Amino acid sequence: MTSPILLTPLLLIFSNVLMTFAWYGHLKQPAWPLWLAVVASWGIAFFEYCFAVPANRIGYGTFTGQQLKVMQEVITLAVFAVFSVMFLGEQLRWTYFAAMGCLVAAVVFIFLPVD
């Protein structure tokens, strides 16, 4: 069995890739009616949950709930950075990197030992 330290972030990455497509993939299809975008997004989100729920269940205990949440947020921004450039054709600005730096700092703080 794979360690929760490796499996948890890996499952969260898969989860976030799917959720990013569920939330933003339809933006490339502006002609779709809203109901179709919602149904397609919900269909993708089901599979996203198939990764997110196990990631959190496997990780909890090794990580605290707060650590899992901060980890998920940083993974979400990293995945979205790639998605926005590769799929949406957007450019990353310095402000994105500044915000990401703040979140990396949050990761450092959330994983510091508490005495």
Side-chain angles (χ1 to χ4, degrees):
M1 182 115 200
T2 305
S3 164
I5 293 173
L6 298 174
L7 192 56
T8 300
L10 185 62
L11 289 170
L12 287 174
I13 290 168
F14 288 134
S15 163
N16 275 281
V17 167
L18 288 171
M19 199 53 157
T20 298
F21 275 96
W23 283 8
Y24 301 101
H26 60 86
L27 296 178
K28 294 288 273 190
Q29 304 298 329
W32 282 6
L34 184 56
W35 70 266
L36 181 57
V38 169
V39 169
S41 294
W42 271 76
I44 295 168
F46 168 78
F47 294 101
E48 181 270 339
Y49 272 70
C50 292
F51 290 101
V53 171
N56 288 311
R57 290 183 66 104
I58 290 166
Y60 190 67
T62 300
F63 303 106
T64 66
Q66 293 173 6
Q67 289 171 330
L68 286 168
K69 182 59 181 171
V70 170
M71 184 187 318
Q72 183 269 328
E73 292 297 336
V74 171
I75 290 169
T76 296
L77 282 182
V79 166
F80 189 79
V82 173
F83 176 86
S84 67
V85 171
M86 302 295 289
F87 190 77
L88 296 177
E90 298 177 354
Q91 292 184 342
L92 297 178
R93 301 179 316 202
W94 74 268
T95 54
Y96 180 87
F97 292 104
M100 182 58 103
C102 292
L103 284 171
V104 170
V107 170
V108 170
F109 285 118
I110 203 72
F111 281 95
L112 284 176
V114 179
D115 295 317

